[in-house]
Amino acid sequence: MTETPVRYSREGDVALICIDNPPVNAIGQAVRTGLVASIDAFAGDPAAKIAVLYCAGRTFVAGADIREFGKPPQAPFLPDVIGKLEALDKPVLCVMHGTALGGGLELALGAHYRLGVPGLKIGLPETSLGILPGAGGTQRLPRLTGLEAALEMITSARHVPAKEALALGVIDGLADAGQDPLTAGLAHAHDLLAKGAGPRRICDMPAPSIAPDQLRDMRTRTAKRFAGQIAQLTAIDAAVGGAALPFRDGMQHERALFQTLMESPQRAALVHAFLAERKVAQLPELAGIAPRAFAQIGVVGGGRMGSGIAISALLAGLDVTLVERDAQAAAQAHQNVAQTLADSVKRGKLTDEGRARILAHQFRAADSYAALSDRDVVIEAVFEDMDIKREVFTQLDQHCKQGAILATNTSYLDIPQIAAMTSRPADVLGLHFFSPAHIMRLLEIVVPDKTGADVVATGFAFGKKLGKVSVRAGVCDGFIGNRILQVYRAVSDHMVLAGASPYAVDRAVTEFGFPMGPYAVQDLAGLDIGFMTRQRKAASRDPREFVARWADVMHARGWHGRKTGQGYYSYDADHPKGRPSPEVEEIIADERRAHGVTPREFSADEIVARYMAAMVNESARVVGEGIAARPLDVDVTLLHGYGFPRWRGGPMHWADAQGLGALLSQIEGFAREDAFFWQPAPLLQQLVRENLSFASLNS
Ligand code: CAA
């Protein structure tokens, strides 16, 4: 941070108020204090006829300082600072570049005129952090755009591009391309002075209204889209309630609702998710380590996973060569990639020219490993079989240049064993993508002991370039995510054996906030995948482990889930999302009889309690064994790869919020029924003994 994060100066009759608080000019207490001083200086400077408020650095203010949330608020408060700016009797022009978000946009709404620099994006993303725009955003924005457009912006939390902001009337104009905020601001300020423009305060503009049935529709749509969350509906209440009151009372109404959200567990969870996503790539072992080059990418295997990885790299602007086993397979892979790129154009993710450019210049499919000889990073995505991997890595070792990074996308095979197949184990690591690889944001970077630190740093730099959230994982079966998944799937089977229906489990879990329950997910992935996993693990399995035989019966009948029209659910044209299957319930009932189980009732609360306890316990093991570097790495993995509800922060954050002592007692209670499955994780026991939280291990 510079000495004073807000500077006041004057050029002729134009006062300049510059916020300079890297990296994103967040408004913390020092900035608020500096703004008050600058506003006073402008008010008391008779030579200054107009003020230009702008930011130094890469962006306008990206919001209030999120790191201050949850701490005792310190004066001056942002709504007061903005009110003071708006009340000035000389005009203020705000010039925005980069992203003007949250408190940043609210500050701009307190100015009398607003200019955007091309490339600007504006937004009120507070609801995505579990709060609402609490510095006048719900009161001022609707006065400019009408309630409907303002509420769409506030509830969606989306970033609105400059042209749309102009059309909505949030900004008055756009600077010329290439102009910096100061130059554009000075020119526009002189124009305003020449026109004799005075203060133009949004608080003096009439409040908009909304028809009751339109409001009802909006509330219904919002409640459905953000099921379980409170911030979006509360923001609607703030805006609509405030619009019916005089401006000053509307501001108080907004503030009161803002305070309740600020204290909510959802706010704490969402802010945790935001900060954890950024912290996940900050690993002490990588400090000061420069990544290797990774402009030239190779992919081995053009199936769903390989082509998804290729597309992800292509969309990030990288050059990709994909190798398949023969010319026909290479042609097919080329077609898969071209088709997915065409779909990306349809989805608005890519322009037609972009697609043509990628196919002409960035991508080629080949049938020989020799085509990979100039690649910086090669990612293998072939069938999960050690003999096939051996063939691939032997070839890669022969053909790839020295210093090339050789990565495997395996989900569970032993990566050190794969690395040992090459003459360069320090250059080998796991890059575990999630399907579809060009859409899912999670990337597990799996690091065997022998992997070089610069290779790991390259993995993170590559993940960042692809727009992924990358998490470091150690070597074990399933790494972080799939290892935890296996355990909460297992506890689901335990409950089903004891009497819960798979449908009740799925219902309880979706009510908790997951988009799908474990059985619907298995249907989607294909029950043949689960079958293969069970086969693979059969030899090494502890005999005390319960394995649901009903899944084998279903598999033997050819019920492989959605793709065959029958899995745990039955799918047909009338039920594309599936309906419960009485035949499945019969197969399960047979197994209960075989085990001598008298089925009992499970409430939704009990299902969630056991599901979450199993998830947290295994997560604690994963952290305790060093497979995940910190609890936050588990949270980010589950949030981005497994549909964990973001507003609950991830399993470790959720566990802290429940209280670890209570969770451990619950697990010990379950252990009295099944001591093998419910062995408490040593890390959980230790934290309870020492009265610490998972969060204490995050820093
Ligand atoms: N407060 C504090 N720190 C912030 C911040 C904020 N509002 N926004 C970003 N940062 C920090 C990040 O944590 C990160 O820090 P580290 O380098 O230490 O990890 C750094 O700034 C850079 O951020 P990104 O890595 O995210 O950079 P980016 O270029 O990819 O994205 C951005 C920039 C679009 C602004 C993105 O950071 C972002 O979306 N920020 C949050 C915006 C937001 O939600 N604002 C509303 C805040 S709530 C509010 O304003 C309401 C109110 O009045 C009380």
Side-chain angles (χ1 to χ4, degrees):
M1 201 195 301
T2 48
E3 215 166 85
T4 155
V6 185
R7 291 189 295 270
Y8 179 82
S9 61
R10 188 160 48 72
E11 216 171 296
D13 42 15
V14 182
L16 302 173
I17 302 176
C18 176
I19 303 175
D20 186 4
N21 185 29
V24 295
N25 288 314
I27 307 188
Q29 202 245 348
V31 172
R32 296 195 299 273
T33 308
L35 279 170
V36 169
S38 292
I39 293 168
D40 285 341
F42 171 51
D45 184 348
K49 304 282 185 265
I50 185 168
V52 174
L53 171 64
Y54 70 106
C55 283
R58 66 193 232 214
T59 179
F60 190 73
V61 174
D65 189 338
I66 291 173
R67 290 162 215 271
E68 287 182 355
F69 291 7
K71 298 185 182 148
Q74 282 184 297
F77 303 116
L78 191 56
D80 301 336
V81 177
I82 295 173
K84 194 174 168 75
L85 183 77
E86 188 175 48
L88 280 163
D89 54 14
K90 295 187 277 188
V92 180
L93 165 68
C94 179
V95 188
M96 294 176 275
H97 72 294
T99 39
L101 301 176
L105 180 57
E106 291 178 299
L107 176 67
L109 294 174
H112 307 130
Y113 300 92
R114 280 162 297 281
L115 187 67
V117 169
L120 168 73
K121 287 192 172 156
I122 62 160
L124 291 175
E126 285 87 342
T127 53
S128 68
L129 295 169
I131 53 174
L132 55 78
T138 67
Q139 308 303 302
R140 290 193 179 90
L141 186 64
R143 283 172 159 82
L144 285 184
T145 65
L147 269 167
E148 202 182 4
L151 286 175
E152 188 281 328
M153 248 178 90
I154 291 170
T155 54
S156 71
R158 80 187 164 96
H159 294 186
V160 174
K163 280 200 180 133
E164 192 184 344
L166 187 62
L168 283 169
V170 185
I171 53 175
D172 307 309
L174 273 172
D176 295 339
Q179 267 187 326
D180 63 77
L182 175 58
T183 314
L186 276 170
H188 201 68
H190 285 125
D191 287 351
L192 286 169
L193 281 181
K195 280 188 212 150
R200 185 193 57 174
R201 302 183 186 94
I202 295 178
C203 66
D204 295 333
M205 297 178 185
S209 59
I210 186 166
D213 44 352
Q214 213 178 348
L215 177 60
R216 214 176 20 251
D217 280 358
M218 181 181 290
R219 289 188 64 91
T220 310
R221 262 185 284 127
T222 307
K224 192 166 170 213
R225 179 166 170 202
F226 299 100
Q229 300 190 53
I230 52 175
Q232 291 78 7
L233 288 174
T234 313
I236 294 180
D237 292 344
V240 175
L245 297 168
F247 183 80
R248 186 185 283 267
D249 298 344
M251 287 292 290
Q252 275 174 12
H253 177 63
E254 174 193 270
R255 198 70 193 159
L257 293 175
F258 172 82
Q259 299 292 9
T260 57
L261 290 180
M262 200 47 137
E263 277 148 35
S264 74
Q266 293 195 4
R267 191 276 302 156
L270 287 161
V271 169
H272 165 72
F274 177 89
L275 294 175
E277 278 158 14
R278 280 152 186 81
K279 211 163 172 194
V280 86
Q282 293 166 8
L283 293 163
E285 74 207 57
L286 300 184
I289 307 273
R292 296 184 190 174
F294 58 86
Q296 313 287 328
I297 304 299
V299 175
V300 184
R304 191 172 153 76
M305 208 59 192
S307 46
I309 295 169
I311 288 157
S312 192
L314 290 168
L315 291 175
L318 300 175
D319 185 281
V320 178
T321 298
L322 187 151
V323 166
E324 258 291 359
R325 62 184 176 280
D326 55 36
Q328 201 189 347
Q332 180 61 51
H334 196 284
Q335 205 184 326
N336 291 349
V337 168
Q339 181 58 51
T340 309
L341 289 174
D343 293 345
S344 299
V345 174
K346 271 192 213 137
R347 289 189 6 252
K349 299 276 170 206
L350 185 67
T351 61
D352 222 11
E353 301 79 70
R355 183 192 63 89
R357 195 178 51 247
I358 287 175
L359 289 175
H361 303 295
Q362 276 174 251
F363 179 63
R364 66 210 64 79
D367 62 356
S368 153
Y369 285 93
L372 300 175
S373 61
D374 65 341
R375 302 288 100 182
D376 300 317
V377 175
V378 179
I379 304 154
E380 162 280 307
V382 302
F383 192 67
E384 293 278 57
D385 177 282
M386 220 28 148
D387 290 336
I388 300 177
K389 306 277 184 196
R390 183 182 311 282
E391 166 65 18
V392 170
F393 275 84
T394 308
Q395 292 286 341
L396 291 180
D397 199 20
Q398 268 172 31
H399 288 96
C400 291
K401 64 183 179 187
Q402 280 310 306
I405 291 174
L406 309 183
T408 171
N409 178 55
T410 184
S411 303
Y412 55 81
L413 292 176
D414 187 54
I415 299 178
Q417 200 184 330
I418 293 176
M421 295 165 183
T422 72
S423 62
R424 36 177 134 176
D427 292 341
V428 177
L429 86 172
L431 291 178
H432 183 215
F433 288 81
F434 289 71
S435 186
H438 61 296
I439 292 175
M440 293 288 284
R441 286 197 70 205
L442 181 64
L443 175 65
E444 281 181 312
I445 298 186
V446 190
V447 184
D449 286 348
K450 290 194 176 144
T451 305
D454 61 336
V455 174
V456 183
T458 313
F460 275 94
F462 175 62
K464 186 166 184 190
K465 179 84 183 162
L466 266 50
K468 303 291 179 204
V469 179
S470 305
V471 177
R472 184 200 191 284
V475 173
C476 70
D477 193 309
F479 316 133
I480 299 178
N482 282 347
R483 174 164 160 186
I484 297 168
L485 167 81
Q486 283 160 22
V487 174
Y488 62 81
R489 275 205 183 148
V491 81
S492 305
D493 285 349
H494 286 208
M495 292 190 277
V496 169
L497 180 71
S501 85
Y503 316 112
V505 173
D506 278 358
R507 209 166 32 246
V509 165
T510 47
E511 277 164 13
F512 178 81
F514 282 88
M516 294 170 93
Y519 295 102
V521 172
Q522 288 180 66
D523 272 4
L524 191 63
L527 299 188
D528 44 335
I529 306 278
F531 180 76
M532 284 187 301
T533 308
R534 288 193 296 282
Q535 299 284 90
R536 171 171 67 85
K537 292 190 158 184
S540 58
R541 186 176 292 127
D542 189 305
R544 290 169 294 179
E545 197 178 314
F546 166 67
V547 183
R549 290 293 156 217
W550 64 72
D552 291 341
V553 176
M554 288 162 65
H555 181 264
R557 291 190 189 179
W559 298 357
H560 293 182
R562 271 196 193 204
K563 59 190 169 193
T564 60
Q566 178 68 50
Y568 282 97
Y569 295 81
S570 307
Y571 303 85
D572 55 37
D574 294 336
H575 305 90
K577 290 189 174 166
R579 68 185 153 79
S581 161
E583 286 131 303
V584 169
E585 297 203 85
E586 269 171 37
I587 297 171
I588 293 170
D590 283 346
E591 189 159 350
R592 290 189 189 123
R593 280 190 286 276
H595 279 83
V597 170
T598 309
R600 72 171 178 90
E601 291 281 316
F602 277 79
S603 69
D605 283 350
E606 181 176 3
I607 290 171
V608 167
R610 287 175 182 258
Y611 195 76
M612 289 306 301
M615 190 185 301
V616 169
N617 200 37
E618 190 63 16
S619 299
R621 252 184 241 290
V622 161
V623 176
E625 291 170 19
I627 299 298
R630 299 146 299 193
L632 67 85
D633 298 72
V634 172
D635 284 343
V636 172
T637 303
L638 273 283
L639 290 174
H640 284 284
Y642 298 83
F644 195 99
R646 189 176 173 83
W647 48 277
R648 293 193 190 268
M652 310 267 76
H653 177 89
W654 179 86
D656 276 347
Q658 307 306 301
L660 298 190
L663 262 171
L664 179 60
S665 311
Q666 206 173 36
I667 290 170
E668 286 165 346
F670 298 150
R672 284 192 277 280
E673 301 160 13
D674 181 348
F676 172 70
F677 183 78
W678 288 106
Q679 293 170 48
L683 178 65
L684 180 59
Q685 291 172 313
Q686 182 193 335
L687 290 175
V688 171
R689 248 190 337 268
E690 294 172 6
N691 199 19
L692 290 172
S693 61
F694 285 120
S696 70
L697 305 177
N698 278 337
S699 43

